[in-house]
Amino acid sequence: MGLTVAEFLMKRLSQWGVKRIFGYPGDGINGIMGALDRASDEIEFVQVRHEEMAAFMACGHAKFTGEVGVCLATSGPGAIHLLNGLYDAKLDHQPVVAIVGQQALTALGGNYQQEVDLVSLFKDVAHEYVQMVSTPAQVRHLIDRAVRIAKAERTVTCLIFPNDIQDLDAVEEPERAHGTIHSSWEYTAPIVVPAPADLQRAADVLNAGEKVAILVGAGALGATDEVIEIADLLGAGVAKALLGKAALPDDLPFVTGSIGLLGTKPSWELMTGCDTLLMIGTSFPYSEFLPEEGQARGVQIDIDARMLGIRYPTEVNLVGDSATTLRQLIPLLEKKDDRSWQDEVVENVTRWWQVLEARAMNSANPLNPQRVFWELSSRLPDNAILAADSGSAANWYARDIKMRRGMKASLSGTLATMGPGVPYVIAAKFAYPDRVAIAMVGDGAMQMNGLNELLTIGKYWKTWSDPRLIVLVLHNGDLNQVTWEQRAMEGDPKFESAQDVPHFPYARFADLVGLKGIRVDAPDDVGAAWDEALSADRPVVLEAITDPDVPPLPPHVTLEEAKLLMFALAKGDPDARGIITQGLKGKIQEFLPHKDS
Ligand SMILES: Cc1ncc(C[n+]2csc(CCOP(=O)(O)OP(=O)(O)O)c2C)c(N)n1
Ligand SMILES: [Mg+2]
């Protein structure tokens, strides 16, 4: 007996190297689900609680493994649920293939139940490639193109399978005739390097600079050694955009850490003080944290020409793979004798880590969130995989966590959506079951979807060789990041009915669903709570009762922001007292002498 279309889909995806599909069933994909069941030796199905989570997991899989991520949803509502997760992947340039069902071809156009115009729905998020199957002889090349385009363009593609097509006989090899397509499944990423003359132009700019700043992003994740060597040659400091946090370890003295609103003061000083900027694999968007136009000469390296020259008016724009391009650039660079600029960066960095430690140790009501991250940082196991959600957790993750070599870390960098923290670490555990994965999530995001996905963890954790997955919940009763943004950017006091998050017992819920719950509300217990979580025999929800009045201070508060904040407090902000105390405590640490300084 030959294969059905759905069985052939599994066979072809398996030839492409797909080993796992995240999804949720429905009658629009019954044929595919049956085929997936029969193909379970080759492809594992991971059942999520909501299709958006399947898309986040596919994105997380792609981010942590470099492979294509695949998600599956039924027609109509299931397909619609995927969208936000797919946009997360698209905006962070991750290869993800979405497979969705559709009503029968025989019904389309008939206002049929669950009939949604899916080609149009996915036309934006999967604009590089979205196709609906209408005959079995198309299926082979549609799969080949969807996977190849996702990989080659690092983007989202989508295939729509009407349910009557799924059970038809597959055409594994279309007949050789006019109007048929004869495709193959192989793809190997090229090594892209700029032309020698352009490398020389870049080297000339970098050699002429006296104060070189390097900014790395996700595109530099595979170029750690090369960035370190270049920074050494150029006597540079290196700042990291959020998605590039794992590109360089934070124990290197010239690494200034994150940049931007969630960034560090030494990154601010690096950018405002440099005369030359080298950007590697980053599209960090906020120009106010980069040098002023005219202040620095710029070189940018990116694998995607579309991303070049759009963040700073760089003089030399190189299209290239970051590691290979840097390796070709290195012989053209002269080692700078004058190390005074890098020495200054190192001094700023040393002092900054002391400020962060002091800020973390400030008392708060009851817990200072910075203390929670600080205590985790020194306890992180080798090779840990981290994911932060969007919210105040992203601030503390960006600043207080010291990455070491071998770790992986990500978040929703460009879409900055709430919700990916828990699904990202679930995807990490499937890809690397022997590594510890830790999500850092706000209480708002937990209530949005993280709580439900704890059930997915409950369903699968016993299949992981090391069961340690920790979800840190910042229980602050507030949509805190936005509350602060409204104060500092609008001058508005906290709008309690919009910002308060209903109470929920996160740790108790974890216990209830078979995971381990740990609740901590005393500063001196935080370290022990992490120790307990990191030595648990099952996944843990670590519920930290944190103070919403600790401000996620940007590295440089403008006069305008300070004024707006004061207006907000003067307008009767319910938390004004706590904020003034906590704000002063945080700020004052920058001016106090610290040990070793
Ligand atoms: C899907 C989505 N909705 C809304 C936002 C806007 N937003 C960004 S952070 C945030 C608050 C998050 O609150 P919580 O998860 O409790 O984290 P906290 O900042 O309190 O630590 C909101 C509403 C968003 N980024 N994504
Ligand atoms: Mg919150």
Side-chain angles (χ1 to χ4, degrees):
M1 267 225 337
L3 300 179
T4 65
V5 163
E7 287 166 347
F8 177 67
L9 167 67
M10 294 307 140
K11 179 177 166 184
R12 199 66 170 179
L13 287 174
S14 177
Q15 281 173 320
W16 271 101
V18 172
K19 296 202 171 50
R20 190 168 304 117
I21 295 180
F22 304 96
Y24 202 80
D27 72 348
I29 48 171
N30 274 348
I32 295 178
M33 294 309 298
L36 196 45
D37 187 13
R38 292 187 289 280
S40 52
D41 286 347
E42 283 84 45
I43 300 186
E44 173 185 25
F45 176 68
V46 176
Q47 183 217 50
V48 298
R49 314 266 68 70
H50 182 298
E51 291 84 353
E52 183 181 338
M53 303 300 109
F56 279 142
M57 287 180 205
C59 177
H61 177 85
K63 285 182 166 184
F64 292 132
T65 64
E67 298 166 1
V68 67
V70 182
C71 55
L72 172 65
T74 191
S75 51
I80 294 166
H81 268 180
L82 286 178
L83 280 177
N84 191 52
L86 294 180
Y87 273 104
D88 179 40
K90 175 191 170 79
L91 269 60
D92 279 351
H93 305 282
Q94 296 304 314
V96 166
V97 177
I99 297 169
V100 297
Q102 176 58 297
Q103 292 311 307
L105 277 174
T106 50
L108 291 184
N111 265 25
Y112 203 68
Q113 189 191 30
Q114 294 192 334
E115 182 186 347
V116 169
D117 179 354
L118 294 179
V119 176
S120 302
L121 182 77
F122 287 101
K123 197 66 200 170
D124 181 50
V125 72
H127 73 93
E128 302 280 358
Y129 200 70
V130 47
Q131 290 289 327
M132 182 169 74
V133 183
S134 50
T135 186
Q138 278 178 297
V139 170
R140 188 175 74 173
H141 70 261
L142 294 192
I143 300 168
D144 292 341
R145 296 213 70 205
V147 181
R148 185 179 290 106
I149 291 171
K151 283 173 174 255
E153 301 287 333
R154 293 172 312 283
T155 195
V156 174
T157 60
C158 176
L159 293 182
I160 301 160
F161 282 81
N163 61 22
D164 47 353
I165 287 274
Q166 298 167 25
D167 293 327
L168 296 182
D169 289 341
V171 177
E172 295 202 43
E173 190 182 313
E175 70 174 303
R176 182 164 175 265
H178 187 69
T180 58
I181 302 288
H182 298 266
S183 66
S184 73
W185 56 266
E186 203 276 335
Y187 173 78
T188 321
I191 294 172
V192 182
V193 271
D198 296 322
L199 285 165
Q200 188 58 55
R201 284 197 300 127
D204 291 345
V205 172
L206 297 170
N207 285 332
E210 289 174 2
K211 298 176 174 185
V212 182
I214 301 177
L215 176 61
V216 298
L221 288 173
T224 305
D225 286 326
E226 291 79 3
V227 175
I228 294 173
E229 193 172 344
I230 292 244
D232 180 49
L233 282 169
L234 297 175
V238 189
K240 302 188 286 187
L242 267 184
L243 288 170
K245 187 169 170 75
L248 280 195
D250 285 299
D251 40 23
L252 294 172
F254 52 83
V255 173
T256 63
S258 54
I259 184 173
L261 285 167
L262 284 56
T264 70
K265 200 167 174 214
S267 293
W268 171 263
E269 290 159 340
L270 179 71
M271 291 297 150
T272 48
C274 71
D275 65 13
T276 308
L277 174 64
L278 170 60
M279 296 166 80
I280 307 165
T282 172
S283 65
F284 171 74
Y286 300 145
S287 58
E288 69 273 32
F289 291 93
L290 294 175
E292 270 184 54
E293 280 200 35
Q295 173 199 319
R297 297 179 71 189
V299 174
Q300 188 179 359
I301 302 169
D302 205 289
I303 191 79
D304 183 351
R306 286 176 294 194
M307 302 310 292
L308 288 168
I310 53 169
R311 296 292 182 250
Y312 190 74
T314 34
E315 200 173 317
V316 184
N317 290 319
L318 303 177
V319 181
D321 160 72
S322 53
T324 322
T325 303
L326 292 176
R327 272 200 294 278
Q328 302 218 353
L329 198 54
I330 284 168
L332 308 177
L333 297 176
E334 294 149 14
K335 180 154 179 144
K336 295 203 192 298
D337 296 329
D338 182 354
R339 311 303 286 183
S340 56
W341 165 246
Q342 198 181 49
D343 292 345
E344 192 183 319
V345 172
V346 170
E347 256 173 55
N348 291 341
V349 170
T350 312
R351 180 167 171 75
W352 176 250
W353 282 115
Q354 292 164 353
V355 169
L356 280 185
E357 180 169 15
R359 280 189 186 173
M361 294 306 149
N362 279 337
S363 60
N365 185 19
L367 286 184
N368 179 342
Q370 294 160 108
R371 175 81 181 262
V372 179
F373 286 74
W374 188 263
E375 298 285 352
L376 168 64
S377 186
S378 55
R379 289 176 168 80
L380 281 170
D382 288 342
N383 297 325
I385 305 178
L386 313 178
D389 216 280
S390 301
S392 70
N395 289 268
W396 317 126
Y397 154 83
R399 298 204 190 102
D400 291 273
I401 296 285
K402 274 193 181 185
M403 293 302 287
R404 301 197 310 271
R405 207 146 174 178
M407 294 179 182
K408 292 175 185 281
S410 201
L411 41 55
S412 174
T414 317
L415 187 61
T417 178
M418 287 166 72
V422 177
Y424 274 14
V425 290
I426 294 176
K429 287 301 291 185
F430 276 103
Y432 304 98
D434 56 336
R435 294 169 70 160
V436 175
I438 305 174
M440 302 151 197
V441 186
D443 45 5
M446 280 307 281
Q447 293 186 16
M448 189 176 266
N449 57 36
L451 284 170
N452 289 349
E453 229 47 46
L454 293 181
L455 305 182
T456 305
I457 297 172
K459 181 175 158 94
Y460 289 107
W461 70 267
K462 287 185 183 147
T463 64
W464 301 329
S465 54
D466 182 330
R468 288 175 301 168
L469 177 160
I470 303 171
V471 178
L472 164 68
V473 183
L474 295 186
H475 185 161
N476 55 19
D478 185 26
L479 298 175
N480 197 233
Q481 179 70 20
V482 172
T483 303
W484 279 105
E485 286 164 357
Q486 289 172 346
R487 287 177 183 130
M489 290 151 93
E490 301 291 333
D492 283 333
K494 176 174 172 179
F495 175 17
E496 283 179 285
S497 67
Q499 298 308 112
D500 282 350
V501 173
H503 178 77
F504 190 85
Y506 303 91
R508 273 169 52 205
F509 180 70
D511 287 332
L512 203 62
V513 299
L515 310 180
K516 184 181 173 81
I518 302 173
R519 184 180 181 280
V520 61
D521 61 3
D524 291 338
D525 296 345
V526 172
W530 277 119
D531 291 336
E532 193 184 343
L534 286 164
S535 55
D537 64 354
R538 64 189 59 210
V540 170
V541 171
L542 177 53
E543 176 185 359
I545 313 299
T546 53
D547 187 346
D549 293 346
V550 176
L553 286 174
H556 176 83
V557 182
T558 64
L559 199 58
E560 185 61 13
E561 286 160 341
K563 256 182 9 207
L564 287 170
L565 178 58
M566 287 306 144
F567 283 148
L569 299 185
K571 280 188 212 160
D573 194 294
D575 297 340
R577 262 182 92 95
I579 290 167
I580 292 168
T581 324
Q582 288 302 329
L584 286 175
K585 276 191 206 165
K587 202 68 202 157
I588 219 154
Q589 298 300 349
E590 279 177 36
F591 304 105
L592 293 178
H594 295 284
K595 54 179 189 284
D596 309 327
S597 68

